[in-house]
Structures are given as C-alpha cells and as structure tokens.
C-alpha cells in the first residue's frame, strides 16, 4: 500500500498538471538525464572525492539492488541519518529508485527526535553512521526496532555501507522503479511548534517542481558549483535550489561539514564555487573572516541567505565584504519559498525576503479573524500552491488548526506584503524559537521539563541574541527550592534531545505571569527578558 497522505483536491491537481507545474516524473529523472548528457561531469565533491553523475547513478543502483534483495521495496519507509557526505545523496537516489520514502534526520538529532520519527513512519530500513554517538554500538538501533517492528534492515556508514555501494549489482532488477510521481517521495522535517516533531509528506511532483523553478530563478547550469555547508537534508540546501537544483541543472555540489568560514573559503577557492546558501549567523562569521581573504572568494557570485531574519545593515555588507550578490530566501519545509530575484534593485534585495517563486503560489495576509489586512499592514501568512503540502503526516488535529477550509496553510509567520507581492517577515505567532535558523518548538521542551519531578511549571521563550538572532530561555517554577539549571540541562540531555534545543538560559522563578484566560503569558516573559537585556 502506498504511504497515506493528504492529497491536493482534484481540480487543483488538474490545474497544476495542465500548467506544467507537475510533470508526472519522479525525481530520479534528473539523474537519468545527466547520465545521458554528461555522465563524467562531477556531481558531488566531497573531501578528496569527486563523484561523477555516472558514479552517483551506479552507486545508487548498487544500494537500491542491495535493499531490494533484503525486501525493502516500493511504499516502504526508511529512517536515514547521515552527515554532509556524498553518501547522503547516493542513499536518497537509491531510495527514490525503489520507491521507498525516507525521513532524512539531521545529524544533530538525538534519541528523542529519531524515536519520534520512527514512531510515525514505522521504517523498515535504518541507514545511519557509526560515527554518530548514538550508533557506535547497536543499542539505539535495537531501540528503534522496538518502536518499529517492521525495521528489518540496518546499514551503517563507516561500516558496511561503503562496501555495498562499491559492489557492482549489474543493473537494477525489473521490480525496481520509483513510486508514482503523485505519491510521497520522502518526508521533510517541520521546524515545529508542537510537542512532537512533525513530518511533511513531499511528492515527486510537488518537490521536483519547486526544485526546477528554484534552479531557473537562481540561473543554475552545468557551470554551477554550489557550496552546501548547511545540514544537507534541510529544505533550503536540498531544494532552494540546493543540491537537487544543482543536479537538475547538471552542476556540482561541493560539500562542507559545516559553515565554518576558513574551511568554506578554502573550498570556495579550490572548487571555484559560485553559489552558496547560509543562515544569517553563518554570514556574520563569513563577514568577520573575509577581510584580507577576498582573493579566495573571487569565484563566488551569489550568496543566498535565509532560514531566519537577516538584519538589513548586515545584508548591505554582503557585496562589499564578500564581493558577491545577495539573494534573500524565505522558505519553509512545508512548501512556499520566496526569493529576491537576481535583477531586483537594492531596496528589494536588502529590504525584504523576496516574493513567491511561482505564479501559482497563492498568498493571503490575514488578521486573527482570517480577513485580509490592507497592503503594507502586518498579518498572518497563509498559502497554498503546487508545492505547498496539504497536511502533516498522521496529525489530523494539528492540521485542523493550521489549515483553513480552502486548504491554505498558516505558517505562523507575520509578514507585510507590498503591491508587487514582496514579503517582509516581521514576526511570528507560532510558539517556536528560531535559533539562528534552527527551529525549536517551545512545547516540546516544556513537556520534557515537566517530566522532571521537581518542575511544577515551565515556559520556553525566545531571548534576543546579537549573533543568533534568538536564543532560548526556560522559565521554570520548581516544587521546592534548590533546583539548579545544571541539573535541568543534564536532565534534558539524558532524555536525548538535540543539543540545539537545550535552553541557553534557565530562570528559576516563584510564579509565571498569566494572561486573563489563565495561560502562561509568554509576551510578558519576553518583555521581562528584553527589560533585563536593556538593563
Ligand atoms: C525570516 N524568517 C525565515 C527568512 C525562513 C529556504 C529557506 C529557508 C527555509 C527554512 C526553507 C526566513 N526570514 N528569510 O525551507 O526552502 C523562518 C519562518 C519560516 C520557517 C521555516 C527553504 N526563512 N524563516 O528555514 O522549515 O518562520 O525552512 O516559517 O526550517 O523559518 O523553517 P524551515
């Protein structure tokens, strides 16, 4: 049976097909085409390795055949956790080729996140890395198998995976073949605002369209050398236009383990990188490190920045200090991606976060009652379109809250739109902290804190931070005096939450301010933090 998910209504699906947004091709098509047109051109540059399109294709065949032989097939699901290495893309194409849908967890994810994903998709396959602290032995994999009884196949990088990729399968057997283009290709990760991390079903049709259109807007081609320094599975470096955009265009992806400036500058110079994607805190580091090293960055033409608010004053330094053009990108794993265009003037490029990539993106900016606000006034962003999902996986109650009855998704962002459709992100109504592009759902951490026997109440709020934009602060009311923040931090770590979600600060207080309906008043808490920062 295919993976169940909320589909687009028939009339919209017909419209997206008729307009050519959906072309009913699986994403394996981009690789097949490059193998015909430029098999020997580099696809991925990873450390000292240069992997051509032909090799990417062959190795993903080898893995696909190995998986088929072990019973992983169309409509199965997989949990994959790999760092920024070529094997990530090889595994992704292998799974596309056999029609198995992965969740690609971030390498920073720990036990809690992996367990939550496994609980939801019940994977048959686990691909992970022996170098991850969780997978040095088999305990975590056993735990995942207890969560997902279907989990029968395990494969580890820095272990058996490398040999599997090398072992020539002599072509894929007949039963191979991707799932239909209007089925789930993989699950994207939501930044989240709820207790459990949510999954976003993405189909070949919708994702492939977003990739093609993004590649077109960013003018990618066979000449493209794209630096992927953000976590490879993240929607931005995967699809906006990201690695998949590069593969579609026939260029090469240069992998960096992280955005650290000096190592990235060396890669830019060595591989003549012309486009890179960063979150704002990484740009700040690059800006600091660049003076005196301009020669290394000569090939860089375009720096894409997105994932979190980017201060206009910093944005304006990009061309001067890094010697390249800036593109602002406001996107979301759920779908809608906005870009400033390469020929936009300075006030647009520095002053807003772009406009929707597609003519078929429908955007409403509305007030609390769902009525459109006047142009230029702030309101909540609601959107639907050919690559914006129609529902989180297995989450009917949450879906009922974040979709209206016309199928518009409410992203939780507060934006201002101008008459040309350009958007400025000015705030947020979702209960989320955006820690330099890494998203933290307040409720998830609050629930964990409440598991501590000494904690009576907990509230996680954003506090302003010069470098990251926001950090997280946990306000905690304890049952008794003497509870220490180190103990809370250790407690959260022991529960297996990713490091970036650990509160940067704990405030132990006697009471929490309440709103008139008796809910914790986070506005007041944020006010207290701002006042403390001011003092
Ligand atoms: C302010 N807030 C932004 C921006 C995202 C491209 C780029 C980014 C993402 C991403 C993505 C922002 N200014 N420029 O998927 O394809 C905040 C908003 C948004 C949320 C989505 C892509 N760009 N944001 O960041 O799923 O709050 O996707 O709703 O991680 O990040 O987060 P995520």
């Amino acid at each position: 049976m295919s993976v169940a998910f909320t589909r687009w209504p028939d009339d919209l699906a017909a419209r997206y097909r008729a307009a050519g947004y959906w072309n009913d091709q699986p994403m394996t098509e981009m690789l097949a085409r490059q193998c015909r047109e430029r098999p020997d051109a580099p696809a991925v540059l990873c450390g000292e390795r240069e992997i051509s399109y032909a090799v990417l294709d062959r190795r993903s065949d080898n893995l696909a055949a190995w998986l088929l032989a072990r019973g992983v097939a169309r409509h199965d699901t997989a949990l994959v956790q790999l760092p920024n290495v070529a094997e990530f893309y090889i595994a992704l194409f292998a799974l596309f080729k056999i029609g198995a849908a992965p969740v690609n967890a971030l390498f920073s994810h720990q036990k809690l996140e992996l367990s939550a994903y496994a609980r939801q998709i019940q994977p048959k396959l686990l691909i992970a890395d022996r170098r991850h602290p969780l997978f040095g032995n088999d305990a975590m994999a056993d735990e995942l198998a207890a969560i997902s009884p279907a989990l029968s196949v395990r494969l580890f990088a820095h272990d058996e995976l490398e040999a599997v990729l090398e072992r020539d399968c002599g072509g894929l057997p007949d039963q191979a073949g991707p799932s239909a283009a209007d089925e789930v290709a993989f699950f994207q990760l939501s930044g989240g605002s709820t207790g459990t991390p949510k999954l976003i079903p993405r189909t070949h049709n919708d994702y492939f369209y977003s990739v093609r259109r993004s590649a077109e807007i960013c003018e990618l081609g066979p000449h493209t050398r794209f630096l992927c320094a953000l976590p490879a599975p993240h929607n931005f470096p995967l699809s906006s236009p990201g690695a998949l955009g590069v593969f579609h265009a026939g260029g090469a992806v240069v992998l960096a383990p992280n955005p650290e400036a000096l190592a990235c500058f060396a890669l830019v110079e060595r591989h003549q990188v012309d486009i890179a994607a960063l979150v704002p805190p990484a740009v700040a580091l690059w800006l600091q490190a660049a003076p005196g090293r301009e020669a290394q960055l000569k090939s860089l033409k375009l720096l894409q920045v997105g994932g979190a608010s980017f201060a206009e004053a910093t944005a304006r330094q990009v061309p001067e200090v890094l010697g390249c053009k800036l593109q602002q990108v406001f996107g979301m794993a759920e779908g809608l991606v906005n870009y400033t265009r390469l020929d936009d003037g300075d006030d647009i490029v520095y002053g807003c976060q772009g406009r929707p990539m597609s003519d078929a993106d429908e955007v409403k900016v509305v007030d609390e009652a769902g009525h459109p606000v006047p142009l230029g006034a702030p309101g909540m962003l609601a959107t639907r379109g050919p690559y914006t999902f129609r529902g989180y996986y297995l989450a009917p109650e949450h879906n009922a809250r974040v979709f209206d009855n016309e199928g518009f998704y409410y992203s939780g962002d507060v934006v201002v739109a101008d008459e040309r459709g350009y958007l400025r992100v000015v705030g947020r109504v979702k209960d989320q902290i955006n820690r330099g592009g890494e998203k933290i759902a307040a409720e998830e951490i609050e629930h964990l804190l409440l598991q501590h026997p000494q904690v009576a109440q907990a509230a996680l709020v954003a506090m302003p931070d010069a470098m990251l934009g926001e950090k997280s602060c946990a306000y905690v009311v304890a049952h008794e005096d003497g509870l220490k923040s180190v103990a809370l931090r250790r407690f959260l770590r022991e529960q297996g939450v990713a490091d970036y979600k650990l509160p940067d600060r704990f405030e132990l207080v006697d009471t929490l301010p309440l709103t008139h309906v008796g809910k914790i008043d986070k506005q007041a808490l944020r006010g207290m933090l701002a006042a403390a920062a001011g003092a």
Side-chain angles (χ1 to χ4, degrees):
M1 235 186 20
S2 58
V3 176
F5 73 107
T6 315
R7 290 167 192 275
W8 284 256
D10 290 342
D11 56 333
L12 282 179
R15 205 193 300 168
Y16 298 153
R17 281 198 170 86
Y21 304 129
W22 291 4
N23 64 9
D24 284 308
Q25 288 186 333
M27 284 186 274
T28 47
E29 186 46 39
M30 63 176 86
L31 181 54
R33 188 161 61 86
Q34 302 311 344
C35 284
R36 290 191 300 272
E37 292 177 8
R38 49 181 68 76
D40 299 324
V44 185
L45 302 164
C46 175
E48 295 306 312
R49 297 183 292 162
E50 178 174 320
I51 291 159
S52 67
Y53 280 99
V55 171
L56 177 56
D57 190 45
R58 199 171 330 123
R59 295 206 177 142
S60 55
D61 270 1
N62 293 344
L63 176 54
W66 187 90
L67 292 171
L68 283 172
R70 278 151 193 81
V72 183
R74 198 168 304 148
H75 309 322
D76 284 333
T77 57
L79 182 59
V80 176
Q81 186 188 43
L82 292 172
N84 281 16
V85 290
E87 284 73 17
F88 172 75
Y89 304 114
I90 299 174
L92 187 62
F93 278 110
L95 291 166
F96 286 165
K97 285 177 179 184
I98 60 171
V103 165
N104 301 304
L106 304 183
F107 206 64
S108 55
H109 282 154
Q110 297 289 342
K111 188 173 102 171
L112 224 57
E113 291 85 14
L114 298 185
S115 306
Y117 298 140
R119 208 166 291 123
Q120 294 173 67
I121 61 163
Q122 294 289 302
K124 185 182 259 185
L125 167 69
L126 170 69
I127 298 181
D129 192 315
R130 286 288 183 209
R131 287 165 306 178
H132 191 285
L134 281 178
F135 294 106
N137 60 36
D138 287 333
M140 185 66 220
D142 291 342
E143 229 173 279
L144 292 169
I147 292 171
S148 172
L151 185 60
S152 56
V153 184
R154 306 170 182 188
L155 187 58
F156 291 99
H158 273 247
D159 197 349
E160 208 188 344
L161 176 66
E162 290 72 13
V164 168
L165 300 183
E166 292 293 340
R167 206 174 297 141
D168 189 12
C169 71
L172 273 188
D174 288 345
Q175 82 260 40
S179 46
D182 58 355
E183 301 290 344
V184 177
F186 75 111
F187 297 90
Q188 192 47 282
L189 310 174
S190 161
S193 57
T194 63
T196 29
K198 296 271 182 295
L199 293 170
I200 303 158
R202 300 294 305 249
T203 64
H204 289 278
N205 267 341
D206 87 78
Y207 211 66
F208 203 170
Y209 169 57
S210 81
V211 164
R212 292 194 309 271
R213 179 64 185 136
S214 297
E216 183 179 23
I217 286 175
C218 299
E219 298 179 4
L220 302 194
H223 60 274
T224 297
R225 295 288 174 276
F226 169 74
L227 183 74
C228 175
L230 297 174
H234 189 269
N235 203 53
F236 183 16
L238 187 62
S239 71
S240 298
L244 292 179
V246 173
F247 298 148
H248 167 69
V253 176
V254 177
L255 278 168
N258 60 56
E260 195 272 312
L262 297 189
C264 284
F265 291 2
L267 286 170
V268 169
E269 183 177 28
R270 174 174 173 192
H271 298 297
Q272 294 294 293
V273 165
D274 59 349
I275 168 171
L278 292 180
V279 289
V283 183
L285 296 175
W286 281 35
L287 288 170
Q288 271 171 21
R293 301 194 171 88
E294 291 82 359
Q296 286 191 290
L297 298 177
K298 262 202 341 244
S299 60
L300 193 65
K301 295 211 171 56
L302 184 68
L303 182 66
Q304 304 183 282
V305 181
S309 287
F310 192 35
E312 180 166 345
T314 318
R316 286 188 181 273
Q317 294 176 37
V318 167
E320 177 114 357
V321 181
L322 301 175
C324 64
K325 204 188 269 261
L326 170 71
Q327 177 182 55
Q328 298 215 38
V329 189
F330 162 41
M332 55 200 73
E334 285 81 357
L336 181 71
V337 181
N338 304 274
Y339 294 99
T340 59
R341 303 305 202 254
L342 302 193
D343 57 357
D344 278 340
D346 285 358
D347 358 333
I348 292 179
V349 170
Y350 303 118
C352 78
Q353 279 64 57
R355 65 182 162 89
M357 70 162 113
S358 172
D359 288 339
D361 284 317
E362 299 175 76
V363 168
K364 302 194 280 196
V365 183
V366 300
D367 62 18
E368 299 277 304
H371 301 307
V373 299
L375 272 185
M380 293 185 295
L381 173 72
T383 184
R384 69 176 183 188
Y387 62 97
T388 294
F389 82 140
R390 305 290 297 205
Y392 291 103
Y393 189 56
L394 303 181
E397 282 159 32
H398 186 60
N399 288 336
R401 279 196 291 276
V402 297
F403 286 87
D404 67 14
N405 53 16
E406 295 176 304
F408 280 76
Y409 164 63
Y410 284 62
S411 74
D413 295 302
V414 178
V415 300
V416 173
D418 74 10
E419 64 289 344
R420 299 157 300 182
Y422 282 89
L423 302 176
R424 217 152 36 86
V425 184
V426 298
R428 195 185 307 138
V429 291
K430 57 189 161 190
D431 201 0
Q432 184 184 77
I433 291 115
N434 189 335
R435 193 177 184 278
E438 294 187 302
K439 317 301 187 311
I440 306 164
E443 195 180 280
E444 187 184 9
I445 303 307
E446 291 160 3
H447 280 174
L448 290 175
L449 285 168
L450 288 169
Q451 313 275 313
H452 190 288
Q454 288 294 318
V455 171
Q457 284 178 295
L460 192 76
V461 290
M463 57 179 179
D465 180 76
M467 191 61 200
L468 292 173
E470 295 176 6
K471 281 186 171 178
S472 65
C473 175
Y475 279 91
V476 173
V477 179
H479 288 298
E480 285 166 34
D481 287 348
L483 183 60
K484 293 275 193 310
S485 43
V486 278
L488 289 171
R489 174 172 273 274
R490 189 179 337 112
F491 176 75
L492 287 179
R493 215 188 236 116
E494 280 164 7
Q495 303 216 35
V497 71
D499 270 4
Y500 68 86
K501 298 181 186 171
L502 294 174
D504 293 288
R505 180 159 136 194
F506 289 90
E507 286 288 332
L508 284 132
V509 292
D510 294 333
T511 56
L512 291 174
L514 299 180
T515 64
H516 60 275
V517 292
K519 291 211 290 188
I520 295 172
D521 189 348
K522 293 200 166 178
Q523 196 73 41
L525 290 174
R526 282 190 286 265
M528 283 158 65
L529 279 170

